[in-house]
Amino acid sequence: MSDAAAQAMFKFFDDNGDNGLSFEELKEGMQSVGSKFTDAEVRNFFDKYDKDKNGIIDFNEFLGLCIDINTNDSEKAVATLFATVDKDNNRSLSHSELREGIAQYTGKPVDDAEVAALIKQVRSEITQSHTFTRRLLEELYAPSCPRRTPKLRAGNVVRTSS
């Protein structure tokens, strides 16, 4: 799960907006996106990842939990949430679908400025992720790929002054 997806999921689960998940918020959030964990399994996850034992899962603790949970289940949960919000089933979320979906699942009204800010943030994170991946691939494969030098055609002579 990407950081952007984890942040969206965390905010979605955080019913009271206090930047922390109680056991009930985690349990209800997981159920709302189609996870089939029992209360005991959710309790085990909660207790394991509440590292500071303060009764709240913060975002960093949530990331650890997300990594531990089967990635396939997390992706299915995000896909289920997306499909529920995508009212016209065109595999793309319009501003209005996103605004209505967030409001429906959080119970909090969302205005166009907040939706635009969320989209801008997600796009930025996707761009950063793509840039990082491209640079990593360039670093990994550049040594094994000879760089091409332009071939000179007849008549195109490069002259240097001496």
Side-chain angles (χ1 to χ4, degrees), residues 41-74:
E41 289 170 321
V42 176
R43 173 53 71 188
N44 287 337
F45 283 131
F46 189 90
D47 291 343
K48 180 178 180 180
Y49 288 97
D50 181 15
K51 298 293 185 187
D52 55 10
K53 304 300 180 205
N54 67 350
I56 299 293
I57 299 279
D58 65 29
F59 181 70
N60 289 330
E61 292 167 334
F62 182 73
L63 281 177
L65 185 147
C66 289
I67 290 168
D68 196 30
I69 292 176
N70 182 328
T71 302
N72 193 32
D73 284 346
S74 298

mmCIF file of all heavy atoms in Angstrom, residues 41-74:
data_model
loop_
_atom_site.group_PDB
_atom_site.id
_atom_site.type_symbol
_atom_site.label_atom_id
_atom_site.label_comp_id
_atom_site.label_asym_id
_atom_site.label_seq_id
_atom_site.Cartn_x
_atom_site.Cartn_y
_atom_site.Cartn_z
ATOM 1 N N GLU A 41 -8.865 -10.726 16.288
ATOM 2 C CA GLU A 41 -7.745 -10.452 15.385
ATOM 3 C C GLU A 41 -7.435 -8.956 15.344
ATOM 4 O O GLU A 41 -6.271 -8.560 15.387
ATOM 5 C CB GLU A 41 -8.063 -10.961 13.975
ATOM 6 C CG GLU A 41 -8.074 -12.477 13.866
ATOM 7 C CD GLU A 41 -8.612 -12.968 12.538
ATOM 8 O OE1 GLU A 41 -9.590 -12.378 12.013
ATOM 9 O OE2 GLU A 41 -8.060 -13.960 12.018
ATOM 10 N N VAL A 42 -8.485 -8.137 15.291
ATOM 11 C CA VAL A 42 -8.275 -6.691 15.294
ATOM 12 C C VAL A 42 -7.634 -6.272 16.617
ATOM 13 O O VAL A 42 -6.715 -5.451 16.639
ATOM 14 C CB VAL A 42 -9.592 -5.927 15.035
ATOM 15 C CG1 VAL A 42 -9.375 -4.415 15.139
ATOM 16 C CG2 VAL A 42 -10.169 -6.274 13.667
ATOM 17 N N ARG A 43 -8.088 -6.848 17.713
ATOM 18 C CA ARG A 43 -7.502 -6.540 19.029
ATOM 19 C C ARG A 43 -6.019 -6.916 19.043
ATOM 20 O O ARG A 43 -5.178 -6.177 19.542
ATOM 21 C CB ARG A 43 -8.263 -7.275 20.142
ATOM 22 C CG ARG A 43 -7.658 -7.171 21.527
ATOM 23 C CD ARG A 43 -7.382 -5.761 22.014
ATOM 24 N NE ARG A 43 -8.578 -5.030 22.324
ATOM 25 C CZ ARG A 43 -8.593 -3.729 22.614
ATOM 26 N NH1 ARG A 43 -7.476 -3.030 22.640
ATOM 27 N NH2 ARG A 43 -9.705 -3.110 22.856
ATOM 28 N N ASN A 44 -5.674 -8.080 18.477
ATOM 29 C CA ASN A 44 -4.270 -8.493 18.424
ATOM 30 C C ASN A 44 -3.431 -7.510 17.608
ATOM 31 O O ASN A 44 -2.331 -7.141 18.016
ATOM 32 C CB ASN A 44 -4.130 -9.902 17.852
ATOM 33 C CG ASN A 44 -4.589 -10.965 18.825
ATOM 34 O OD1 ASN A 44 -4.619 -10.746 20.039
ATOM 35 N ND2 ASN A 44 -4.960 -12.121 18.310
ATOM 36 N N PHE A 45 -3.956 -7.095 16.431
ATOM 37 C CA PHE A 45 -3.258 -6.092 15.624
ATOM 38 C C PHE A 45 -3.085 -4.809 16.431
ATOM 39 O O PHE A 45 -2.002 -4.226 16.473
ATOM 40 C CB PHE A 45 -4.042 -5.748 14.350
ATOM 41 C CG PHE A 45 -3.943 -6.763 13.254
ATOM 42 C CD1 PHE A 45 -5.094 -7.208 12.624
ATOM 43 C CD2 PHE A 45 -2.727 -7.249 12.824
ATOM 44 C CE1 PHE A 45 -5.019 -8.129 11.597
ATOM 45 C CE2 PHE A 45 -2.637 -8.173 11.793
ATOM 46 C CZ PHE A 45 -3.794 -8.618 11.177
ATOM 47 N N PHE A 46 -4.170 -4.380 17.062
ATOM 48 C CA PHE A 46 -4.148 -3.123 17.806
ATOM 49 C C PHE A 46 -3.100 -3.180 18.916
ATOM 50 O O PHE A 46 -2.262 -2.284 19.032
ATOM 51 C CB PHE A 46 -5.529 -2.825 18.393
ATOM 52 C CG PHE A 46 -5.632 -1.451 18.982
ATOM 53 C CD1 PHE A 46 -6.031 -0.382 18.199
ATOM 54 C CD2 PHE A 46 -5.323 -1.212 20.311
ATOM 55 C CE1 PHE A 46 -6.113 0.896 18.722
ATOM 56 C CE2 PHE A 46 -5.402 0.053 20.856
ATOM 57 C CZ PHE A 46 -5.796 1.112 20.050
ATOM 58 N N ASP A 47 -3.133 -4.233 19.708
ATOM 59 C CA ASP A 47 -2.194 -4.355 20.828
ATOM 60 C C ASP A 47 -0.751 -4.462 20.352
ATOM 61 O O ASP A 47 0.161 -3.898 20.959
ATOM 62 C CB ASP A 47 -2.555 -5.556 21.703
ATOM 63 C CG ASP A 47 -3.861 -5.357 22.457
ATOM 64 O OD1 ASP A 47 -4.332 -4.204 22.566
ATOM 65 O OD2 ASP A 47 -4.432 -6.371 22.923
ATOM 66 N N LYS A 48 -0.540 -5.165 19.237
ATOM 67 C CA LYS A 48 0.812 -5.340 18.702
ATOM 68 C C LYS A 48 1.389 -4.027 18.197
ATOM 69 O O LYS A 48 2.563 -3.738 18.397
ATOM 70 C CB LYS A 48 0.794 -6.371 17.573
ATOM 71 C CG LYS A 48 2.144 -6.619 16.947
ATOM 72 C CD LYS A 48 2.051 -7.690 15.864
ATOM 73 C CE LYS A 48 3.415 -7.936 15.222
ATOM 74 N NZ LYS A 48 3.330 -8.964 14.173
ATOM 75 N N TYR A 49 0.556 -3.207 17.540
ATOM 76 C CA TYR A 49 1.071 -2.003 16.895
ATOM 77 C C TYR A 49 0.903 -0.726 17.703
ATOM 78 O O TYR A 49 1.438 0.312 17.313
ATOM 79 C CB TYR A 49 0.487 -1.858 15.488
ATOM 80 C CG TYR A 49 1.109 -2.900 14.606
ATOM 81 C CD1 TYR A 49 0.457 -4.095 14.357
ATOM 82 C CD2 TYR A 49 2.392 -2.729 14.125
ATOM 83 C CE1 TYR A 49 1.063 -5.074 13.606
ATOM 84 C CE2 TYR A 49 3.006 -3.700 13.369
ATOM 85 C CZ TYR A 49 2.333 -4.877 13.114
ATOM 86 O OH TYR A 49 2.951 -5.852 12.388
ATOM 87 N N ASP A 50 0.220 -0.787 18.813
ATOM 88 C CA ASP A 50 0.171 0.359 19.725
ATOM 89 C C ASP A 50 1.474 0.324 20.526
ATOM 90 O O ASP A 50 1.516 -0.060 21.684
ATOM 91 C CB ASP A 50 -1.059 0.267 20.633
ATOM 92 C CG ASP A 50 -1.172 1.441 21.588
ATOM 93 O OD1 ASP A 50 -0.480 2.465 21.364
ATOM 94 O OD2 ASP A 50 -1.938 1.335 22.560
ATOM 95 N N LYS A 51 2.558 0.701 19.862
ATOM 96 C CA LYS A 51 3.914 0.547 20.410
ATOM 97 C C LYS A 51 4.111 1.276 21.734
ATOM 98 O O LYS A 51 4.790 0.785 22.615
ATOM 99 C CB LYS A 51 4.969 1.026 19.402
ATOM 100 C CG LYS A 51 4.984 0.238 18.110
ATOM 101 C CD LYS A 51 5.432 -1.176 18.333
ATOM 102 C CE LYS A 51 5.549 -1.913 17.007
ATOM 103 N NZ LYS A 51 5.821 -3.321 17.177
ATOM 104 N N ASP A 52 3.522 2.467 21.861
ATOM 105 C CA ASP A 52 3.708 3.221 23.097
ATOM 106 C C ASP A 52 2.644 2.893 24.146
ATOM 107 O O ASP A 52 2.624 3.471 25.215
ATOM 108 C CB ASP A 52 3.767 4.724 22.839
ATOM 109 C CG ASP A 52 2.549 5.242 22.086
ATOM 110 O OD1 ASP A 52 1.559 4.486 21.920
ATOM 111 O OD2 ASP A 52 2.587 6.405 21.654
ATOM 112 N N LYS A 53 1.760 1.969 23.809
ATOM 113 C CA LYS A 53 0.723 1.466 24.735
ATOM 114 C C LYS A 53 -0.140 2.573 25.330
ATOM 115 O O LYS A 53 -0.546 2.510 26.479
ATOM 116 C CB LYS A 53 1.356 0.631 25.861
ATOM 117 C CG LYS A 53 2.194 -0.528 25.375
ATOM 118 C CD LYS A 53 1.395 -1.501 24.554
ATOM 119 C CE LYS A 53 2.251 -2.663 24.081
ATOM 120 N NZ LYS A 53 1.760 -3.287 22.874
ATOM 121 N N ASN A 54 -0.459 3.577 24.487
ATOM 122 C CA ASN A 54 -1.309 4.670 24.969
ATOM 123 C C ASN A 54 -2.773 4.494 24.581
ATOM 124 O O ASN A 54 -3.591 5.370 24.814
ATOM 125 C CB ASN A 54 -0.783 6.021 24.460
ATOM 126 C CG ASN A 54 -0.905 6.172 22.950
ATOM 127 O OD1 ASN A 54 -1.206 5.219 22.234
ATOM 128 N ND2 ASN A 54 -0.643 7.369 22.460
ATOM 129 N N GLY A 55 -3.116 3.350 23.994
ATOM 130 C CA GLY A 55 -4.501 3.087 23.628
ATOM 131 C C GLY A 55 -4.937 3.727 22.321
ATOM 132 O O GLY A 55 -6.112 3.704 21.977
ATOM 133 N N ILE A 56 -3.983 4.281 21.583
ATOM 134 C CA ILE A 56 -4.255 4.952 20.306
ATOM 135 C C ILE A 56 -3.197 4.501 19.295
ATOM 136 O O ILE A 56 -2.008 4.451 19.615
ATOM 137 C CB ILE A 56 -4.194 6.494 20.455
ATOM 138 C CG1 ILE A 56 -5.253 6.993 21.445
ATOM 139 C CG2 ILE A 56 -4.322 7.198 19.109
ATOM 140 C CD1 ILE A 56 -6.682 6.829 20.984
ATOM 141 N N ILE A 57 -3.643 4.214 18.077
ATOM 142 C CA ILE A 57 -2.714 3.908 16.987
ATOM 143 C C ILE A 57 -2.485 5.206 16.217
ATOM 144 O O ILE A 57 -3.422 5.765 15.648
ATOM 145 C CB ILE A 57 -3.309 2.837 16.033
ATOM 146 C CG1 ILE A 57 -3.580 1.523 16.752
ATOM 147 C CG2 ILE A 57 -2.432 2.648 14.801
ATOM 148 C CD1 ILE A 57 -2.412 0.630 16.945
ATOM 149 N N ASP A 58 -1.229 5.705 16.219
ATOM 150 C CA ASP A 58 -0.932 6.903 15.430
ATOM 151 C C ASP A 58 -0.589 6.471 13.997
ATOM 152 O O ASP A 58 -0.562 5.269 13.689
ATOM 153 C CB ASP A 58 0.173 7.742 16.072
ATOM 154 C CG ASP A 58 1.527 7.048 16.125
ATOM 155 O OD1 ASP A 58 1.841 6.195 15.265
ATOM 156 O OD2 ASP A 58 2.307 7.371 17.042
ATOM 157 N N PHE A 59 -0.324 7.432 13.120
ATOM 158 C CA PHE A 59 -0.120 7.105 11.714
ATOM 159 C C PHE A 59 1.078 6.179 11.505
ATOM 160 O O PHE A 59 1.004 5.220 10.742
ATOM 161 C CB PHE A 59 0.027 8.365 10.852
ATOM 162 C CG PHE A 59 0.223 8.037 9.395
ATOM 163 C CD1 PHE A 59 -0.820 7.512 8.645
ATOM 164 C CD2 PHE A 59 1.448 8.225 8.790
ATOM 165 C CE1 PHE A 59 -0.644 7.165 7.309
ATOM 166 C CE2 PHE A 59 1.632 7.897 7.450
ATOM 167 C CZ PHE A 59 0.581 7.370 6.705
ATOM 168 N N ASN A 60 2.196 6.429 12.182
ATOM 169 C CA ASN A 60 3.366 5.566 12.017
ATOM 170 C C ASN A 60 3.090 4.144 12.479
ATOM 171 O O ASN A 60 3.543 3.182 11.853
ATOM 172 C CB ASN A 60 4.576 6.155 12.737
ATOM 173 C CG ASN A 60 5.099 7.396 12.050
ATOM 174 O OD1 ASN A 60 4.985 7.534 10.836
ATOM 175 N ND2 ASN A 60 5.651 8.311 12.816
ATOM 176 N N GLU A 61 2.362 4.013 13.570
ATOM 177 C CA GLU A 61 1.986 2.673 14.039
ATOM 178 C C GLU A 61 1.040 2.020 13.026
ATOM 179 O O GLU A 61 1.135 0.816 12.763
ATOM 180 C CB GLU A 61 1.325 2.781 15.421
ATOM 181 C CG GLU A 61 2.288 3.205 16.515
ATOM 182 C CD GLU A 61 1.601 3.609 17.817
ATOM 183 O OE1 GLU A 61 0.424 4.037 17.794
ATOM 184 O OE2 GLU A 61 2.264 3.506 18.875
ATOM 185 N N PHE A 62 0.147 2.821 12.442
ATOM 186 C CA PHE A 62 -0.780 2.320 11.437
ATOM 187 C C PHE A 62 -0.032 1.800 10.210
ATOM 188 O O PHE A 62 -0.403 0.778 9.630
ATOM 189 C CB PHE A 62 -1.764 3.426 11.048
ATOM 190 C CG PHE A 62 -2.814 3.020 10.057
ATOM 191 C CD1 PHE A 62 -3.869 2.195 10.435
ATOM 192 C CD2 PHE A 62 -2.776 3.486 8.754
ATOM 193 C CE1 PHE A 62 -4.857 1.835 9.528
ATOM 194 C CE2 PHE A 62 -3.761 3.129 7.843
ATOM 195 C CZ PHE A 62 -4.803 2.299 8.229
ATOM 196 N N LEU A 63 1.031 2.501 9.813
ATOM 197 C CA LEU A 63 1.838 2.035 8.677
ATOM 198 C C LEU A 63 2.396 0.645 8.948
ATOM 199 O O LEU A 63 2.378 -0.220 8.073
ATOM 200 C CB LEU A 63 2.988 3.002 8.394
ATOM 201 C CG LEU A 63 2.652 4.258 7.623
ATOM 202 C CD1 LEU A 63 3.892 5.140 7.497
ATOM 203 C CD2 LEU A 63 2.089 3.949 6.259
ATOM 204 N N GLY A 64 2.910 0.440 10.150
ATOM 205 C CA GLY A 64 3.420 -0.882 10.512
ATOM 206 C C GLY A 64 2.337 -1.942 10.430
ATOM 207 O O GLY A 64 2.563 -3.048 9.918
ATOM 208 N N LEU A 65 1.163 -1.606 10.904
ATOM 209 C CA LEU A 65 0.036 -2.529 10.842
ATOM 210 C C LEU A 65 -0.309 -2.848 9.381
ATOM 211 O O LEU A 65 -0.520 -4.007 9.030
ATOM 212 C CB LEU A 65 -1.166 -1.919 11.566
ATOM 213 C CG LEU A 65 -2.399 -2.788 11.704
ATOM 214 C CD1 LEU A 65 -3.096 -2.458 13.005
ATOM 215 C CD2 LEU A 65 -3.352 -2.594 10.564
ATOM 216 N N CYS A 66 -0.331 -1.833 8.534
ATOM 217 C CA CYS A 66 -0.669 -2.039 7.121
ATOM 218 C C CYS A 66 0.333 -2.948 6.434
ATOM 219 O O CYS A 66 -0.039 -3.770 5.597
ATOM 220 C CB CYS A 66 -0.729 -0.701 6.378
ATOM 221 S SG CYS A 66 -2.154 0.295 6.821
ATOM 222 N N ILE A 67 1.607 -2.801 6.781
ATOM 223 C CA ILE A 67 2.639 -3.645 6.182
ATOM 224 C C ILE A 67 2.450 -5.085 6.611
ATOM 225 O O ILE A 67 2.622 -6.010 5.822
ATOM 226 C CB ILE A 67 4.039 -3.121 6.563
ATOM 227 C CG1 ILE A 67 4.289 -1.794 5.849
ATOM 228 C CG2 ILE A 67 5.125 -4.139 6.214
ATOM 229 C CD1 ILE A 67 5.498 -1.034 6.362
ATOM 230 N N ASP A 68 2.059 -5.283 7.862
ATOM 231 C CA ASP A 68 1.903 -6.631 8.395
ATOM 232 C C ASP A 68 0.676 -7.347 7.836
ATOM 233 O O ASP A 68 0.705 -8.546 7.605
ATOM 234 C CB ASP A 68 1.826 -6.591 9.918
ATOM 235 C CG ASP A 68 2.054 -7.951 10.554
ATOM 236 O OD1 ASP A 68 2.798 -8.762 9.972
ATOM 237 O OD2 ASP A 68 1.494 -8.192 11.624
ATOM 238 N N ILE A 69 -0.392 -6.600 7.618
ATOM 239 C CA ILE A 69 -1.608 -7.204 7.084
ATOM 240 C C ILE A 69 -1.332 -7.613 5.646
ATOM 241 O O ILE A 69 -0.650 -6.917 4.911
ATOM 242 C CB ILE A 69 -2.793 -6.211 7.154
ATOM 243 C CG1 ILE A 69 -3.158 -5.963 8.607
ATOM 244 C CG2 ILE A 69 -3.997 -6.737 6.387
ATOM 245 C CD1 ILE A 69 -4.244 -4.931 8.790
ATOM 246 N N ASN A 70 -1.871 -8.708 5.253
ATOM 247 C CA ASN A 70 -1.685 -9.199 3.887
ATOM 248 C C ASN A 70 -1.941 -8.079 2.893
ATOM 249 O O ASN A 70 -3.014 -7.498 2.859
ATOM 250 C CB ASN A 70 -2.656 -10.364 3.651
ATOM 251 C CG ASN A 70 -2.494 -10.968 2.291
ATOM 252 O OD1 ASN A 70 -2.149 -10.314 1.314
ATOM 253 N ND2 ASN A 70 -2.754 -12.255 2.223
ATOM 254 N N THR A 71 -0.944 -7.780 2.072
ATOM 255 C CA THR A 71 -1.043 -6.696 1.101
ATOM 256 C C THR A 71 -2.245 -6.884 0.197
ATOM 257 O O THR A 71 -2.941 -5.941 -0.136
ATOM 258 C CB THR A 71 0.246 -6.621 0.263
ATOM 259 O OG1 THR A 71 1.338 -6.433 1.138
ATOM 260 C CG2 THR A 71 0.197 -5.487 -0.733
ATOM 261 N N ASN A 72 -2.524 -8.094 -0.190
ATOM 262 C CA ASN A 72 -3.651 -8.368 -1.066
ATOM 263 C C ASN A 72 -4.963 -7.944 -0.414
ATOM 264 O O ASN A 72 -5.823 -7.358 -1.061
ATOM 265 C CB ASN A 72 -3.676 -9.855 -1.436
ATOM 266 C CG ASN A 72 -4.621 -10.158 -2.563
ATOM 267 O OD1 ASN A 72 -4.828 -9.344 -3.453
ATOM 268 N ND2 ASN A 72 -5.197 -11.341 -2.529
ATOM 269 N N ASP A 73 -5.121 -8.207 0.881
ATOM 270 C CA ASP A 73 -6.338 -7.803 1.588
ATOM 271 C C ASP A 73 -6.454 -6.281 1.637
ATOM 272 O O ASP A 73 -7.530 -5.729 1.476
ATOM 273 C CB ASP A 73 -6.365 -8.358 3.017
ATOM 274 C CG ASP A 73 -6.701 -9.840 3.068
ATOM 275 O OD1 ASP A 73 -7.163 -10.384 2.041
ATOM 276 O OD2 ASP A 73 -6.496 -10.451 4.119
ATOM 277 N N SER A 74 -5.335 -5.600 1.853
ATOM 278 C CA SER A 74 -5.356 -4.136 1.902
ATOM 279 C C SER A 74 -5.750 -3.562 0.554
ATOM 280 O O SER A 74 -6.546 -2.627 0.472
ATOM 281 C CB SER A 74 -3.977 -3.597 2.303
ATOM 282 O OG SER A 74 -3.633 -4.038 3.582
#
